CSV table of all heavy atoms in Angstrom, one decimal:
chain,number,residue,atom,x,y,z
A,102,ASP,N,106.9,-20.9,-168.8
A,102,ASP,CA,107.1,-19.4,-169.0
A,102,ASP,C,105.8,-18.7,-168.7
A,102,ASP,O,105.8,-17.7,-168.0
A,102,ASP,CB,107.7,-19.1,-170.4
A,102,ASP,CG,108.2,-17.7,-170.5
A,102,ASP,OD1,108.5,-17.1,-169.4
A,102,ASP,OD2,108.4,-17.3,-171.6
A,103,GLU,N,104.7,-19.1,-169.3
A,103,GLU,CA,103.4,-18.5,-169.2
A,103,GLU,C,103.0,-18.5,-167.7
A,103,GLU,O,102.3,-17.6,-167.2
A,103,GLU,CB,102.4,-19.1,-170.0
A,103,GLU,CG,102.4,-18.7,-171.5
A,103,GLU,CD,101.8,-19.7,-172.4
A,103,GLU,OE1,101.0,-20.5,-172.0
A,103,GLU,OE2,102.2,-19.7,-173.6
A,104,LYS,N,103.3,-19.6,-167.0
A,104,LYS,CA,102.9,-19.6,-165.6
A,104,LYS,C,103.8,-18.8,-164.7
A,104,LYS,O,103.6,-18.8,-163.5
A,104,LYS,CB,103.0,-21.1,-165.1
A,104,LYS,CG,101.9,-22.0,-165.7
A,104,LYS,CD,102.0,-23.4,-165.1
A,104,LYS,CE,100.9,-24.3,-165.6
A,104,LYS,NZ,101.4,-25.6,-166.1
A,105,GLY,N,104.8,-18.2,-165.2
A,105,GLY,CA,105.7,-17.4,-164.4
A,105,GLY,C,106.8,-18.2,-163.7
A,105,GLY,O,107.4,-17.7,-162.7
A,106,VAL,N,107.1,-19.4,-164.2
A,106,VAL,CA,108.1,-20.2,-163.5
A,106,VAL,C,109.5,-19.8,-164.1
A,106,VAL,O,109.7,-19.7,-165.3
A,106,VAL,CB,107.9,-21.7,-163.8
A,106,VAL,CG1,109.0,-22.6,-163.2
A,106,VAL,CG2,106.5,-22.1,-163.3
A,107,ARG,N,110.5,-19.6,-163.2
A,107,ARG,CA,111.9,-19.4,-163.6
A,107,ARG,C,112.6,-20.7,-163.5
A,107,ARG,O,112.7,-21.3,-162.4
A,107,ARG,CB,112.6,-18.4,-162.7
A,107,ARG,CG,114.0,-18.1,-163.2
A,107,ARG,CD,114.8,-17.2,-162.4
A,107,ARG,NE,114.1,-16.3,-161.5
A,107,ARG,CZ,114.6,-15.9,-160.3
A,107,ARG,NH1,115.8,-16.4,-159.9
A,107,ARG,NH2,113.9,-15.1,-159.5
A,108,VAL,N,113.0,-21.3,-164.6
A,108,VAL,CA,113.7,-22.6,-164.6
A,108,VAL,C,115.2,-22.4,-164.4
A,108,VAL,O,115.8,-21.6,-165.2
A,108,VAL,CB,113.4,-23.3,-165.9
A,108,VAL,CG1,114.0,-24.7,-165.8
A,108,VAL,CG2,111.9,-23.4,-166.1
A,109,VAL,N,115.8,-23.0,-163.5
A,109,VAL,CA,117.2,-23.0,-163.2
A,109,VAL,C,117.8,-24.4,-163.2
A,109,VAL,O,117.2,-25.2,-162.5
A,109,VAL,CB,117.5,-22.2,-161.9
A,109,VAL,CG1,119.0,-22.1,-161.7
A,109,VAL,CG2,116.9,-20.9,-161.8
A,110,PHE,N,118.8,-24.6,-164.0
A,110,PHE,CA,119.5,-25.9,-163.9
A,110,PHE,C,120.8,-25.8,-163.1
A,110,PHE,O,121.5,-24.8,-163.3
A,110,PHE,CB,119.9,-26.4,-165.3
A,110,PHE,CG,118.7,-27.0,-166.0
A,110,PHE,CD1,117.8,-26.2,-166.8
A,110,PHE,CD2,118.4,-28.3,-165.9
A,110,PHE,CE1,116.7,-26.7,-167.4
A,110,PHE,CE2,117.3,-28.9,-166.6
A,110,PHE,CZ,116.4,-28.1,-167.3
A,111,LEU,N,121.0,-26.8,-162.2
A,111,LEU,CA,122.2,-26.7,-161.3
A,111,LEU,C,122.9,-28.1,-161.4
A,111,LEU,O,122.2,-29.1,-161.4
A,111,LEU,CB,121.7,-26.5,-159.9
A,111,LEU,CG,120.9,-25.2,-159.6
A,111,LEU,CD1,119.4,-25.6,-159.7
A,111,LEU,CD2,121.1,-24.7,-158.2
A,112,GLY,N,124.2,-28.0,-161.5
A,112,GLY,CA,125.0,-29.2,-161.5
A,112,GLY,C,126.2,-29.0,-162.5
A,112,GLY,O,126.4,-27.9,-162.9
A,113,ASP,N,126.9,-30.1,-162.8
A,113,ASP,CA,128.0,-30.0,-163.7
A,113,ASP,C,127.5,-30.1,-165.1
A,113,ASP,O,127.5,-31.1,-165.8
A,113,ASP,CB,129.0,-31.2,-163.4
A,113,ASP,CG,130.2,-31.1,-164.2
A,113,ASP,OD1,130.4,-30.1,-165.0
A,113,ASP,OD2,131.1,-32.0,-164.1
A,114,LEU,N,127.0,-28.9,-165.6
A,114,LEU,CA,126.3,-28.9,-166.9
A,114,LEU,C,127.3,-29.1,-168.1
A,114,LEU,O,126.8,-29.4,-169.2
A,114,LEU,CB,125.5,-27.6,-167.1
A,114,LEU,CG,124.5,-27.3,-165.9
A,114,LEU,CD1,123.7,-26.0,-166.2
A,114,LEU,CD2,123.5,-28.5,-165.8
A,115,ASP,N,128.6,-29.0,-167.8
A,115,ASP,CA,129.6,-29.2,-168.9
A,115,ASP,C,129.6,-30.6,-169.3
A,115,ASP,O,130.1,-30.9,-170.4
A,115,ASP,CB,131.0,-28.8,-168.4
A,115,ASP,CG,131.1,-27.3,-168.2
A,115,ASP,OD1,130.3,-26.5,-168.8
A,115,ASP,OD2,132.0,-26.8,-167.5
Side-chain angles (χ1 to χ4, degrees):
D102 193 19
E103 279 156 25
K104 286 185 182 133
V106 177
R107 183 182 344 144
V108 184
V109 182
F110 281 88
L111 306 89
D113 183 5
L114 304 180
D115 289 340

